[in-house]
């Protein structure tokens, strides 16, 4: 990038006529124009680059913009040539609050600037002429922060007491996504990046450098095996809304794309693994989905208060998704609460257990996968609820009946779907496949086919040798669709006339039929096997699947989902946009039906799901948090990796499905688990097998311990400085309810003896 130096910005005459609240214009000095919020001040030079970002919440206005690395306010991206165009001039009109940026390719952008009390709002009003531009990128906005980077939502954080400041962005529309314009298929690679959050505590070895990229571990199939590095400077990443340079400095960026035309991508979420090599995918055009109107909120704020003071206010003011639990925003740390996770399918006491624990949701994981099947119209137990899969000694229950029992205690129930995977035997997959399926490639049949022909001649063999999805490359899912028939094949001839090899007709129970020359052949986009077998819907059908899940909740009393295979939402090539659209459709349909916010976890977390997703309890056992050894992941690095990702992105850390109450369980174990959960800001899914729970001699005391901690958490009884100590696994704690309402007594123990006693009460104020 060419170095820029601050210059006077050109200002129209109207600029002197009006005063804009929260907007400061330094039009007479050499620093260019400046915009200010309560906590943050930026300066933009007349080339359209941000040259200063300051914390103005303190007397000493710390500068966060590197002197030699100014930040383009907005870049243009030519996807065909794969080049960015940076702004070359900027002109601001205070009269209509518009910043006009000119670019070297001849394009001119008009950006509405709206400084609010706690953030700046930038909105692209127009770009003319387009001159080959198919995407725009906000930033990257470079900072000198080197501590924590939130790659999912785009935030640079310095959590030290000395600095205590964050700079970040949020998208204000669905088609503005976290990441860069060159991100293939709008979902950033899942990989490791080298970054030390503290170079003194965790110095890098000579063999590594900041920003270095490594692939994941394992065989590329088992998700647990992905997590392969326990070193603190191996940072797993789930996005690229924030990135680090060779000095460890953090930059943030968002982008928006013109989705109205057909394009092809070469995509894999894990492109550097042999088991997950990219596939070529023709991406479905989406009429009306364009980058004009792209809008972001840019903020700077003290880090210790930014979540509830600034991010919360942006979400509310800009009408972003705002799911709640117990009347609280799901990102509010006082709203974090574990869930019950059933095992053994004996449910006489599961509701009672959950109520005593103070939990709000029962995940019926022992019921297996819930596959989207629009053929049942949302009635998963039959239209008369005649199926009774939930076992109780006094008589089995349908989901509807069990949900009504749970609702009497303020508890919801939930299931584990395979997100958008259309399984064999379901309405949109087989035996009559939908015409609204996502495909990788489209070709033409060059010869007629009878019902028994296995010679399928195609006009073009390009990319047809690729096996199925990018994920796992399951050979059994390698298929095409012609008309209403699914056909398996494996390979394509290399010489004319080109034909598909190893053909099996009438696949997945479809009916072999005749096909005519010039009929269209669709090579379908699929999932992977191991019980996840399915076809991927196109965007319109995916919309219907999202609405279906809301209907299932309404008809059967569900209020929770564990979306396994959540990454399949990326498989259509629209990445985080696809994810946002899916969950928006589900939540909008739920709202139409009068349902409360659907609480959900899933197999991944992305910028597309961050606003909607409540929790992320993926995996479990000693891979996540090992309560015996008191470490984040004793079997793999999964616990450490997911802890670092979620914490940096203001999301509740997941401890997975874990900590079963059984004959060996002790009160002390759960005192520790709850201390870590409250201190770190985690949720988890507590495994409850009725027979095992009843075998536990300390069952009642364990219930009381967990409930006491959860009551105190919900009351915001733990000051910030105390949470830091609770998050340290070397400490041992005991919490008891106080003598007065909304008070608690926290005791630090060492070798069973009291070291310190701390009185707590509602509102995070310590009683001396």
């Amino acid at each position: 990038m060419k170095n820029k130096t601050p210059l006077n910005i050109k200002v129209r005459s109207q600029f002197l006529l009006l005063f804009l609240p929260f907007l400061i214009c330094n039009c007479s000095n050499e620093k260019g124009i400046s915009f200010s919020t309560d906590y943050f001040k930026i300066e933009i030079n007349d080339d359209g680059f941000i040259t200063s970002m300051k914390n103005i919440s303190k007397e000493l206005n710390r500068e966060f913009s590197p002197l030699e690395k100014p930040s383009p306010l907005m870049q243009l991206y030519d996807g065909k040539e794969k080049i960015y165009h940076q702004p070359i001039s900027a002109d601001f009109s205070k009269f209509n609050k518009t910043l006009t940026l000119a670019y070297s390719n001849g394009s001119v952008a008009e950006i509405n600037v709206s400084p609010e009390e706690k953030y700046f709002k930038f909105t692209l009003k127009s770009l003319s002429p387009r001159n080959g531009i198919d995407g725009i990128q906000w930033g990257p906005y470079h900072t000198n922060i080197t501590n924590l980077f939130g790659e999912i939502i785009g935030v640079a954080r310095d959590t030290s007491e000395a600095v205590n400041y964050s700079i970040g962005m949020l998208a204000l529309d669905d088609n503005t996504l976290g990441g860069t314009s060159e991100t293939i298929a709008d979902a950033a690679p899942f990989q490791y990046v080298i970054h030390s959050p503290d170079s003194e505590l965790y110095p890098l070895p000579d063999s590594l450098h900041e920003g270095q990229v490594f692939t994941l571990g394992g065989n590329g199939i088992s998700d647990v095996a992905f997590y392969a590095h326990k070193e603190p400077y191996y940072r797993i990443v789930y996005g690229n809304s924030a990135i680090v340079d060779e000095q460890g400095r953090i930059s943030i960026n968002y982008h928006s794309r013109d989705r109205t035309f057909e394009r092809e991508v070469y995509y894999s979420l894990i492109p550097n693994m042999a088991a997950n090599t990219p596939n070529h995918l023709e991406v479905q055009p989406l009429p009306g989905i364009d980058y004009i109107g792209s809008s972001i909120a840019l903020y700077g704020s003290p880090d210790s208060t930014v979540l509830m003071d600034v991010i919360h206010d942006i979400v509310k003011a800009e009408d972003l998704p705002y799911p709640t639990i117990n009347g609280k925003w799901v990102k509010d740390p006082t709203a974090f609460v574990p869930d019950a996770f059933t095992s053994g399918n004996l449910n006489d006491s599961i509701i009672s257990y959950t109520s005593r624990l103070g939990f709000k949701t029962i995940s019926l994981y022992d019921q297996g996968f819930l596959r989207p099947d629009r053929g049942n119209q949302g009635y998963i137990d039959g239209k008369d609820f005649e199926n009774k899969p939930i076992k109780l000694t006094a008589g089995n229950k349908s989901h509807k009946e069990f949900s009504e029992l749970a609702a009497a205690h303020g508890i919801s129930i939930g299931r584990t779907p395979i997100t958008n995977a259309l399984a064999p035997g379901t309405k949109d997959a087989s035996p009559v496949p939908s015409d609204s399926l996502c495909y990788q490639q489209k070709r033409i049949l060059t010869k007629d086919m009878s019902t028994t022909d296995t010679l399928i001649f195609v006009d073009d063999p390009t990319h047809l040798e690729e096996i199925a999805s990018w994920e796992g490359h399951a050979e059994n899912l390698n298929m095409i669709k012609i008309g209403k028939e699914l056909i398996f094949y494996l390979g394509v001839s290399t010489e004319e006339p080109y034909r598909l090899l190893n053909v099996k007709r009438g696949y997945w129970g479809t009916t072999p039929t005749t096909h005519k020359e010039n009929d269209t052949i669709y090579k379908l986009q699929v999932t992977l096997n191991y019980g996840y077998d399915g076809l991927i819907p196109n965007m319109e059908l995916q919309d219907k699947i999202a609405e279906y899940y809301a209907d299932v909740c309404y008809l059967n009393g569900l209020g929770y989902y564990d979306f396994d295979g959540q990454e399949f939402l990326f498989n259509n090539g629209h990445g985080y946009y696809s994810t946002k659209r899916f969950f928006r459709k589900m939540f909008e349909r739920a709202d139409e039906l009068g349902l409360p916010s659907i609480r959900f976890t899933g197999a991944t977390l992305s910028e597309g799901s961050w606003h909607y997703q409540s929790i992320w309890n993926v995996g479990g056992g000693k891979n996540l948090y090992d309560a015996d050894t008191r470490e984040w992941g004793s079997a793999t690095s999964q616990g450490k990796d997911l802890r670092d990702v979620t914490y940096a992105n203001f999301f509740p850390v997941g401890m997975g499905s874990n900590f079963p109450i059984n004959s060996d369980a002790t009160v002390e174990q759960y005192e520790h688990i709850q201390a870590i959960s409250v201190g770190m800001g985690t949720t988890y899914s507590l495994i409850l097998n009725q027979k095992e729970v009843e075998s536990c001699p300390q069952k009642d005391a364990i219930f009381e311990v967990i409930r006491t901690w959860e009551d105190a958490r919900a009351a915001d009884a733990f000051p910030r400085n105390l949470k830091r100590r609770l998050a340290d696994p070397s400490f041992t704690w005991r919490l008891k309810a106080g003598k007065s309402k909304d008070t608690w007594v926290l005791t630090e123990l060492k070798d069973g003896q009291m070291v310190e006693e701390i009185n707590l009460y509602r509102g995070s104020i310590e009683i001396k």
Side-chain angles (χ1 to χ4, degrees):
M1 179 185 296
K2 184 175 70 173
N3 286 342
K4 304 281 184 179
T5 56
L7 299 172
N8 290 332
I9 194 162
K10 298 185 287 290
V11 182
R12 297 175 183 163
S13 59
Q14 298 99 318
F15 190 85
L16 303 176
L17 301 178
L18 299 174
F19 173 75
L20 180 65
F22 312 114
L23 174 64
I24 300 173
C25 173
N26 296 326
C27 56
S28 62
N29 62 29
E30 294 185 356
K31 293 186 177 180
I33 191 169
S34 64
F35 303 100
S36 295
T37 70
D38 289 353
Y39 310 127
F40 193 37
K41 178 180 178 181
I42 64 171
E43 295 174 355
I44 303 175
N45 70 10
D46 71 347
D47 292 327
F49 281 69
I50 298 174
T51 56
S52 178
M53 294 187 284
K54 288 185 178 179
N55 172 9
I56 58 172
S57 65
K58 295 182 177 181
E59 288 187 12
L60 177 62
N61 294 171
R62 182 185 290 267
E63 177 64 73
F64 289 100
S65 177
L67 180 63
E68 81 288 2
K69 201 173 183 181
S71 306
L73 181 67
M74 191 185 80
Q75 297 188 88
L76 308 181
Y77 186 67
D78 183 330
K80 184 176 181 180
E81 299 297 329
K82 294 182 171 51
I83 57 173
Y84 286 97
H85 296 280
Q86 297 180 345
I88 58 175
S89 70
D91 182 26
F92 182 74
S93 167
K94 185 176 181 182
F95 180 75
N96 58 15
K97 306 176 188 178
T98 298
L99 183 65
T100 301
L101 300 180
Y103 294 84
S104 57
N105 72 329
S107 295
V108 176
E110 289 193 340
I111 298 170
N112 180 261
V113 183
S114 178
E116 309 294 338
E117 291 186 8
K118 298 175 182 178
Y119 61 99
F120 308 117
K121 180 178 179 179
F122 297 105
T123 305
L124 177 60
K125 295 168 60 178
S126 65
L127 181 73
S128 181
R130 295 210 175 195
N131 289 342
I133 299 305
D134 53 20
I136 61 99
Q137 180 175 305
W138 301 99
Y141 301 152
H142 305 298
T143 78
N144 54 28
I145 295 173
T146 60
N147 182 203
L148 303 183
F149 69 100
E151 80 283 12
I152 294 174
I153 63 168
V155 60
R157 303 178 59 188
D158 191 319
T159 61
S160 67
E161 293 295 334
V163 179
N164 185 30
Y165 204 74
S166 289
I167 297 174
M169 273 195 282
L170 287 177
L172 303 183
D173 65 283
D174 284 356
N175 193 33
T176 301
L177 310 176
T180 60
S181 289
E182 72 262 35
T183 302
I184 299 172
D186 295 328
F190 182 29
Q191 58 196 8
Y192 280 108
V193 170
I194 298 300
H195 175 66
S196 174
D198 188 319
S199 59
E200 292 186 7
L201 283 178
Y202 311 112
L204 298 185
D206 293 339
S207 59
L208 299 176
H209 63 80
E210 286 280 348
Q212 194 172 354
V213 172
F214 288 90
T215 191
L216 304 179
N219 57 13
I221 298 173
S222 168
D223 55 358
V224 170
F226 292 158
Y227 307 95
H229 290 282
K230 293 187 177 184
E231 302 93 330
Y233 40 78
Y234 273 88
R235 173 63 152 78
I236 211 160
V237 290
Y238 278 78
N240 60 348
S241 303
I243 55 180
V244 295
D245 68 10
E246 65 282 353
Q247 298 180 42
R249 297 176 300 184
I250 300 166
S251 302
I252 55 178
N253 37 237
Y254 272 69
H255 76 102
S256 186
R257 188 184 301 283
D258 180 354
R259 301 185 184 278
T260 62
F261 62 93
E262 188 173 289
R263 56 198 168 89
E264 185 175 80
V265 297
Y266 186 50
Y267 173 72
S268 168
L269 186 64
I270 318 175
N272 299 315
M273 301 190 79
N276 296 293
T277 55
N279 280 138
H280 289 86
L281 172 67
E282 295 179 18
V283 181
Q284 178 187 356
L286 302 177
I289 309 301
D290 189 21
Y291 52 69
I292 302 300
S294 174
S295 188
I296 60 157
L298 173 65
Y299 62 86
S301 167
D303 181 80
S304 56
T305 55
V306 67
L307 175 63
M308 295 306 296
D309 180 39
V310 178
I311 297 176
H312 174 271
D313 284 15
I314 295 171
V315 169
K316 289 290 284 183
E318 299 296 338
D319 198 27
L320 296 176
Y322 190 78
T324 60
I325 182 170
N326 300 330
K328 297 179 180 179
W329 185 40
V330 294
K331 302 298 186 296
D332 182 342
T334 67
F336 298 170
V337 59
D339 305 306
F341 185 93
T342 61
S343 171
N345 198 16
L346 181 60
N347 300 284
D348 301 311
S349 301
I350 294 299
I351 294 173
S352 173
Y353 295 161
T354 306
S355 179
R356 291 175 63 186
L357 290 162
F359 296 176
K360 303 302 177 185
T361 299
I362 299 171
S363 175
L364 297 168
Y365 191 77
D366 49 10
Q367 294 298 316
F369 289 147
L370 177 68
R371 290 177 170 83
D373 184 2
R374 296 191 307 134
N376 63 28
Q377 298 179 307
Y379 292 92
I380 57 178
D381 292 326
K383 285 194 174 182
D384 296 319
F385 307 103
E386 61 271 18
N387 299 320
K388 314 286 184 180
I390 302 171
K391 294 182 180 179
L392 287 82
T393 302
N396 298 344
K397 301 292 184 184
S398 66
H399 288 81
K400 178 72 169 176
E401 292 166 331
F402 193 70
S403 73
E404 290 170 349
L405 295 176
H409 297 266
I411 296 168
S412 64
I413 67 170
R415 289 288 303 274
T416 300
I418 307 299
T419 314
N420 61 341
L422 306 176
T426 61
K427 174 181 172 61
D428 294 304
S430 67
V432 183
S434 170
D435 291 330
S436 299
L437 298 174
C438 179
Y439 57 86
Q440 290 186 346
Q441 300 292 325
K442 182 169 63 175
R443 298 289 184 266
I444 298 298
L445 186 66
T446 58
K447 289 187 179 180
D448 290 352
M449 290 174 56
S450 71
T451 58
T452 58
D453 279 339
T454 57
L455 296 178
I456 303 177
F457 293 93
V458 298
D459 63 329
D460 182 358
T462 306
H463 309 317
L464 296 184
E465 78 285 355
E466 295 175 354
I467 299 173
S469 166
W470 60 266
E471 188 171 7
H473 302 292
E475 291 186 356
N476 66 300
L477 295 181
N478 205 62
M479 66 182 93
I480 59 170
K481 174 180 173 290
I482 310 178
K484 292 293 185 179
E485 182 184 358
L486 300 180
I487 301 172
F488 171 86
Y489 84 98
L490 198 62
V492 62
S493 64
T494 57
E495 296 180 356
E496 293 188 89
Y498 304 114
R499 63 183 180 88
L500 303 183
L501 306 177
N502 302 297
V503 170
K504 295 179 183 177
R505 299 289 303 275
Y507 206 52
W508 274 16
T510 58
T511 301
T513 57
T514 60
H515 304 293
K516 297 295 184 181
E517 182 181 349
N518 294 322
D519 280 355
T520 302
I521 299 171
Y522 298 96
K523 176 179 171 60
L524 298 179
Q525 177 66 303
V526 299
T527 58
L528 72 164
N529 46 24
Y530 305 103
Y532 295 85
D533 309 55
L535 306 176
I536 296 295
N538 71 6
M539 193 64 77
E540 290 81 6
L541 181 53
Q542 183 173 289
D543 290 346
K544 297 298 183 182
I545 298 298
E547 293 169 351
Y548 167 86
Y549 280 122
D551 290 343
V552 168
C553 287
Y554 177 72
L555 295 171
N556 303 278
L558 272 62
Y560 168 96
Y561 284 124
D562 177 356
F563 282 110
D564 208 342
Q566 193 177 350
E567 74 276 11
F568 298 153
L569 293 172
F570 304 156
N571 280 26
N572 56 30
H574 286 289
Y576 305 149
Y577 171 77
S578 171
T579 307
K580 287 183 182 181
R581 181 162 165 164
F582 177 84
F583 288 118
R584 179 175 292 280
K585 293 289 184 181
M586 184 178 78
F587 271 64
E588 287 178 345
R589 176 62 175 163
D591 189 58
E592 290 174 5
L593 297 170
L595 297 174
S597 301
I598 297 173
R599 180 171 167 84
F600 75 90
T601 181
T604 190
L605 178 68
S606 70
E607 192 270 329
S609 67
W610 186 89
H611 285 285
Y612 296 95
Q613 191 163 334
S614 307
I615 48 180
W616 192 20
N617 286 323
V618 60
K622 296 183 182 298
N623 297 302
L624 268 295
Y625 187 81
D626 188 333
D628 296 325
T629 62
R630 297 193 171 195
E631 62 182 312
W632 286 93
S634 60
T636 70
S637 67
Q638 186 177 20
K640 180 271 293 184
D641 286 334
L642 298 188
R643 175 200 65 193
D644 292 351
V645 167
T646 48
Y647 184 82
N649 285 281
F650 300 111
F651 198 87
V653 181
M655 300 166 85
S657 54
N658 222 338
F659 319 126
I661 299 177
N662 53 36
S663 59
D664 298 324
T666 66
V667 167
E668 290 75 18
Q669 289 174 324
Y670 295 90
E671 293 273 16
H672 174 70
I673 291 164
Q674 286 296 140
I676 294 294
S677 182
V678 170
M680 195 71 206
T682 84
T683 63
Y684 60 91
S685 298
L686 180 66
I687 298 175
L688 296 175
N689 179 301
Q690 185 170 309
K691 290 182 179 180
E692 292 188 356
V693 171
E694 292 304 320
S695 74
C696 178
Q698 299 188 41
K699 174 192 71 174
D700 295 326
I702 290 171
F703 284 172
E704 182 178 354
V705 161
I706 295 174
R707 180 60 180 262
T708 301
W709 280 93
E710 289 305 317
D711 286 347
R713 175 178 7 208
D716 194 20
F718 300 94
R720 177 170 170 262
N721 61 341
L722 180 57
K723 286 183 179 180
R724 290 178 180 269
R725 295 173 63 191
L726 293 174
D728 186 339
S730 66
F731 285 87
T732 298
W733 305 94
R734 176 183 297 153
L735 184 69
K736 299 287 186 182
K739 293 181 180 180
S740 302
K741 183 182 178 181
D742 290 337
T743 66
W744 294 266
V745 179
L746 180 67
T747 305
E748 181 192 346
L749 302 173
K750 189 169 185 179
D751 298 326
Q753 301 299 312
M754 184 182 75
V755 175
E756 182 182 6
E757 192 172 87
I758 304 170
N759 294 310
L760 305 172
Y761 85 104
R762 180 179 293 274
S764 299
I765 300 175
E766 187 175 328
I767 300 174
K768 302 297 183 184

